[in-house]
Amino acid sequence: MRIAPLTGLRGVAAVSVLLYHIPHQPAFAAFAIPLFSRAYLAVDLFFVLSGFVISFGYHDRVVKHPGSRSYADFLINRMARVWPLHMVVTLVFAARILLNLSGTQSIELTPVNAAANLAMVQSWGWGTQPIAGNSWSVSTELAAYLLYPLIGLLAFSRWAWVQAAGCAGLLLLVASSGLGASGPMDVIDPGSILPLLRCLAGFSLGVLTYRCADSPWCRRMLDRPGGFAIICGLIAAALLLPGADLLVVLLMPALVLCCYYDGPAVRAIMANPVSFHLGVISYSIYLWHPLVRDVAARAMTAAHRHGLNGMDWLFVAGMLAATWLLCWASYLLVEVRGHQLIKWLQSGRARRPSPLEAAAP
C-alpha cells in the first residue's frame, strides 16, 4: 500500500539529490542551483521516510507480534525490494571500472570489496567502498532492516525518549565530526562508522515519528490548514543558516507527518501525477543518475572538441530525459521483475515438501 504524498516526497528527494549531483561533474559546474546546494540532506530524509513507511507496513507483524517467521518474511520482502536493482547497478558500475570508461578510477575491485558490495555491507565502517557511489546509503539501510525489531520495540516502549535523545546525539556526532564533504551532515567516508550511525539515527527517528503519527497532540499541531506550509518554511529558513544541517534533519519528521496527514496543500504538491511517478521510480533515479550524468558530460566534452559550443543546456536536458527513460525502464524491468522473482522463489521454497513428506507413500 502506497501513501501517495509520502511517495511523492520520495520523488522530490530523489530529484533533489540528482540536481545536487549534476554540478559535481566539472563539465556541468555552470549548472549549479543554489537551492539544491545542500540537497545531500535529502538522503537523511530517505532514512526518516524509510523508518516511517516500514513501520506503517510492518509494525504489527514484526514488532507488535514478533517471531522468527515474521522477521524472516520482513527481511525477504526488503531484500526483494532493494537488492535486485542494487546488484544490477553494482555490476554495471563494476564493468565501467574494469573497462576504464571514466579515465580515472578511485575504487579498487578487490575480491573483498566486490563481495561486500554484492552482499550490501560495503558501508558498515570496515573500509570497503561502494562500487556504485550512491549505494552507500542502501548498504546502511540494510543494517537498519536487520535491527528493525529492536528499534521498533524501543520506539514503542516507555524508553522511547531515550531513543529520541540517542538519535539526536548520534546526528550531532555526525554533524560535528568534521568529515562532511559538502556540509556537516554529508558524511560518507567508507572508512568510518559514522555513515552507518547517520542512517540508524534517521531511520530510528522515522520509527519514532510513526509512533507519534496518530497522537492527538501531534495532529493538533500539524494536521491543520497551513501546517505543511509552516514546516516547509521552517526547513527553508534552516537551510539558509550556515551549518544548520542538524536542525534541518530534526525538522524532517514533521514534514513526513504533514505528508502522512494528506491535507489539500500536501496532495497538490506531493500527490500530483508527476511527483507520485517520480516517487515510484525514485530508487532507480537515486542509483542510476550519476552514470547518466557522466555519460552526458563525456558527450558534451566531445562536442566541444568538435567546435559545438553554446548548446550545453541541450546536453543537460538530454541527460534529464535519458535519466527518466532509463529509470522508468529500470523500475519495470529490474525492480518489479526482481521483486517478483525473489517472491516466487520464496513461495516455491515454502511449498516444497520436507524430505519425510516427499518419502511418504
Side-chain angles (χ1 to χ4, degrees):
M1 176 182 176
R2 294 185 190 273
I3 303 173
L6 291 178
T7 301
L9 183 59
R10 285 188 64 88
V12 171
V15 171
S16 297
V17 174
L18 182 155
L19 295 175
Y20 164 72
H21 278 148
I22 285 176
H24 286 197
Q25 167 58 250
F28 293 133
F31 291 90
I33 304 174
L35 179 64
F36 297 98
S37 63
R38 291 166 69 187
Y40 54 84
L41 292 171
V43 178
D44 298 279
L45 179 56
F46 282 137
F47 295 148
V48 176
L49 265 171
S50 183
F52 185 92
V53 172
I54 284 175
S55 293
F56 178 83
Y58 290 100
H59 174 262
D60 285 352
R61 283 178 280 174
V62 179
V63 178
K64 198 172 182 179
H65 301 97
S68 58
R69 186 169 183 176
S70 61
Y71 179 54
D73 186 62
F74 162 72
L75 289 179
I76 291 171
N77 273 298
R78 295 316 303 160
M79 292 302 290
R81 172 71 181 92
V82 300
W83 188 77
L85 181 61
H86 174 272
M87 182 195 68
V88 170
V89 173
T90 296
L91 291 176
V92 169
F93 274 70
R96 175 191 184 188
I97 293 171
L98 288 171
L99 297 173
N100 198 29
L101 295 181
S102 296
T104 58
Q105 306 298 345
S106 59
I107 298 174
E108 296 183 10
L109 286 182
T110 63
V112 172
N113 210 27
N117 275 267
L118 292 177
M120 288 178 56
V121 298
Q122 67 270 24
S123 297
W124 287 16
W126 37 51
T128 52
Q129 297 173 289
I131 293 173
N134 285 351
S135 69
W136 73 267
S137 65
V138 185
S139 170
T140 59
E141 277 211 30
L142 175 59
Y145 301 155
L146 292 169
L147 294 173
Y148 174 61
L150 179 61
I151 293 172
L153 283 171
L154 186 56
F156 281 80
S157 73
R158 61 181 178 175
W159 298 103
W161 65 272
V162 176
Q163 185 179 19
C167 291
L170 287 177
L171 291 171
L172 177 60
L173 176 66
V174 172
S176 60
S177 67
L179 297 177
S182 298
M185 289 294 300
D186 189 26
V187 177
I188 57 175
D189 182 1
S192 169
I193 198 173
L194 291 179
L196 179 61
L197 297 181
R198 177 185 175 188
C199 169
L200 292 176
F203 184 91
S204 298
L205 276 181
V207 179
L208 288 164
T209 303
Y210 177 73
R211 173 178 175 165
C212 299
D214 294 320
S215 300
W217 65 269
C218 212
R219 284 192 173 273
R220 282 196 302 270
M221 288 179 60
L222 299 173
D223 190 11
R224 56 192 298 177
F228 176 63
I230 290 171
I231 295 302
C232 289
L234 288 173
I235 291 175
L239 286 170
L240 294 175
L241 298 174
D245 287 8
L246 178 59
L247 177 59
V248 176
V249 176
L250 293 178
L251 286 168
M252 287 175 179
L255 178 61
V256 170
L257 285 175
C258 286
C259 292
Y260 174 68
Y261 294 146
D262 197 17
V266 168
R267 284 197 299 272
I269 297 173
M270 297 297 179
N272 64 70
V274 173
S275 295
F276 184 80
H277 172 73
L278 292 172
V280 169
I281 64 172
S282 59
Y283 184 36
S284 283
I285 292 174
Y286 181 70
L287 287 185
W288 281 119
H289 77 263
L291 179 64
V292 183
R293 176 203 61 187
D294 292 349
V295 170
R298 292 191 66 141
M300 190 175 78
T301 301
H304 287 173
R305 286 199 300 267
H306 290 83
L308 296 175
N309 297 302
M311 302 176 64
D312 292 359
W313 65 272
L314 279 178
F315 288 93
V316 174
M319 175 193 66
L320 295 175
T323 300
W324 172 71
L325 288 171
L326 172 62
C327 293
W328 182 225
S330 171
Y331 171 75
L332 294 175
L333 300 177
V334 180
E335 292 188 58
V336 173
R337 297 298 185 188
H339 185 276
Q340 290 172 341
L341 175 61
I342 291 176
K343 295 301 292 180
W344 177 77
L345 292 172
Q346 179 193 17
S347 63
R349 173 169 291 188
R351 289 195 303 268
R352 190 176 299 149
S354 68
L356 290 177
E357 291 171 333

